[in-house]
Amino acid sequence: MGFEALDSTRMLVLMVAGGVFAAVGLFLMVRPRPQGAAKIELFGLKFESSSAGLLVFLIGAAFLSLPLWVEEKQRPVGSVGMDAAGGSASPPPADHDGSVISEVEPNDGVRDATEISLGQTLSGEVRRGDIDWIAVRIPDDGPRDIKVKVRRTGGSALWANVYDPDEKWEGSLYPNPGAASRIVDRGTGNTVYVSLSPGAVMAQYEVIATAAD
């Protein structure tokens, strides 16, 4: 059973509380213990004060590790040309034509890669244990140097690798946070590949491919 996604504000509050709990627990464990230290009873079990400190520390550590197990809830996105409140949305960045497509499953291998064209943006998410593959199709008269940009839009950390038309590894991208890009020489080929995987539970992403500046 998975954990319910939390928005960033609640997750931050819980992590701050976890830090406080962890600090208090450490203090309870390392402070000098007086003779005849009092015992506490919890769930029918008796603990020394040092045991209580360990328990408080573990609770705090659990809260601090939330990003590894709980997904971040994403703010709803409005329709094309409108933001979530119904107002006019900002124009698309200059590095793509505004055309947004979604990943198509299965896309866990080069042969099943979701295809996009230059100037398009692909939006998707990848979960732990999976690898998403994207194939950027380039026309014969297209540019030789291709700029591949990967943007993490939510969830846990995101890792990406870029490959040339011969499926030769060209380098890694770490868009954490924000975006990262790499220039790929496509030579005489017509496809550049990108693979994506999450650092923990799930990561949401966008992939944009354009002609290099």
Side-chain angles (χ1 to χ4, degrees):
M1 181 178 68
F3 295 96
E4 181 181 355
L6 297 175
D7 59 46
S8 57
T9 300
R10 291 184 180 180
M11 188 173 293
L12 179 61
V13 170
L14 289 175
M15 290 180 64
V16 170
V20 173
F21 270 84
V24 172
L26 285 174
F27 171 75
L28 292 175
M29 287 189 291
V30 301
R31 70 173 181 173
R33 294 170 55 192
Q35 293 294 330
K39 296 182 178 181
I40 63 172
E41 187 171 344
L42 183 64
F43 302 123
L45 301 174
K46 292 184 178 181
F47 297 87
E48 297 287 348
S49 59
S50 59
S51 299
L54 177 61
L55 180 62
V56 173
F57 174 78
L58 291 176
I59 293 174
F63 283 166
L64 284 173
S65 65
L66 277 176
L68 295 177
W69 314 109
V70 181
E71 299 176 8
E72 182 179 352
K73 184 182 294 183
Q74 301 302 306
R75 186 176 61 182
V77 179
S79 59
V80 176
M82 304 289 287
D83 62 16
S88 297
S90 300
D95 59 2
H96 66 83
D97 62 7
S99 174
V100 180
I101 61 176
S102 298
E103 62 162 324
V104 178
E105 295 286 357
N107 59 347
D108 54 357
V110 172
R111 295 182 179 179
D112 299 321
T114 300
E115 297 185 4
I116 62 172
S117 301
L118 285 181
Q120 286 185 319
T121 298
L122 182 136
S123 176
E125 71 174 38
V126 58
R127 295 186 173 273
R128 181 168 49 197
D130 293 337
I131 298 178
D132 282 1
W133 282 84
I134 313 301
V136 181
R137 300 302 186 191
I138 308 161
D140 292 336
D141 59 351
R144 181 185 179 93
D145 292 329
I146 306 301
K147 178 181 179 181
V148 176
K149 177 185 289 186
V150 177
R151 179 180 293 116
R152 183 178 71 87
T153 58
S156 60
L158 178 67
W159 315 107
N161 289 287
V162 182
Y163 304 84
D164 70 7
D166 294 324
E167 300 176 26
K168 177 184 175 183
W169 181 74
E170 290 289 329
S172 299
L173 298 175
Y174 307 103
N176 303 294
S181 61
R182 178 172 290 275
I183 305 298
V184 181
D185 183 352
R186 59 114 170 184
T188 58
N190 294 87
T191 308
V192 170
Y193 299 97
V194 183
S195 67
L196 305 109
S197 57
V201 179
M202 178 275 296
Q204 295 173 319
Y205 60 83
E206 288 182 346
V207 177
I208 305 165
T210 59
D213 298 332

